[in-house]
Amino acid sequence: MTARTGPIPSVWARGQREPDQPALSRAAIVREAVAVLDAEGIEALSMRKLGARLNAGATSLYRHVATKDELMELAVDEVAAEIHVPPADSPDWRAAATEAAGSFRATALRHPWISSVLGQAGLAYLGPNLMSFSERLAALFTAVGFPEPHRAIDTLFSYVVGMSTTEAAWLTTVARSGETEAAFVSRLMPAAREAVAGHDHLAAAYATDPGDPVAIRDAKFAYGLDVVLDGLAMRLPG
């Protein structure tokens, strides 16, 4: 018996429809969706709310975007255009990889919702901006001589995405408090010190003033990134 196949569940697997309103386009819908996501988070985004912001009915939106999942695919790809990857002929591959990783992290922290949905946004990697990002990374890692460039890239960005996701979640918690990060950390420290009491190896890290939380996050990310790049460098021929 021949298996029945349905359409591929991705916005990138079907063509765009003609707009039924001159001012309404897929691009306009996506820009407004990103604005809602940045300001209010994923939970606040709905087709009905988006339609109201665009002065259009939800039915009109569905002519361009079939589901909220498709809208998230488009939003992820829209934001991916902000990520910078140096050219493949960069003289220092580590510096170039560090710049690309830092650009991804900065983009993820500007749009804290993106890290949590990268693995859930359907076939988002088929989008033109994410595809361009992947192609530029592949060119960089191939040019330097990695025998398996795609595996090297997967290793690097597993770290970057993981750290960015953790940071974005933390910063979302801080934002909900209405305080600065430094003020929130200062208020949290007494509870943290009480929690680590009796755990000698952990308590040492909480014994002194934590310092600038932004600088601490930057240093933590840079340390881990250096460790990953050190490991990848060992895979290079010669």
Side-chain angles (χ1 to χ4, degrees), residues 133-212:
F133 167 70
S134 298
E135 170 66 13
R136 284 175 285 151
L137 275 176
L140 174 65
F141 276 59
T142 299
V144 76
F146 278 101
E148 297 178 293
H150 295 288
R151 290 191 177 184
I153 292 168
D154 287 345
T155 300
L156 172 61
F157 275 87
S158 291
Y159 167 76
V160 175
V161 172
M163 287 294 289
S164 299
T165 300
T166 301
E167 273 193 275
W170 160 253
L171 292 177
T172 298
T173 298
V174 171
R176 287 172 179 163
S177 75
E179 300 177 272
T180 66
E181 187 176 4
F184 185 79
V185 170
S186 178
R187 191 161 59 86
L188 180 64
M189 284 305 293
R193 287 178 176 136
E194 183 178 344
V196 299
H199 302 279
D200 294 344
H201 295 289
L202 299 178
Y206 292 85
T208 59
D209 175 46
D212 178 10

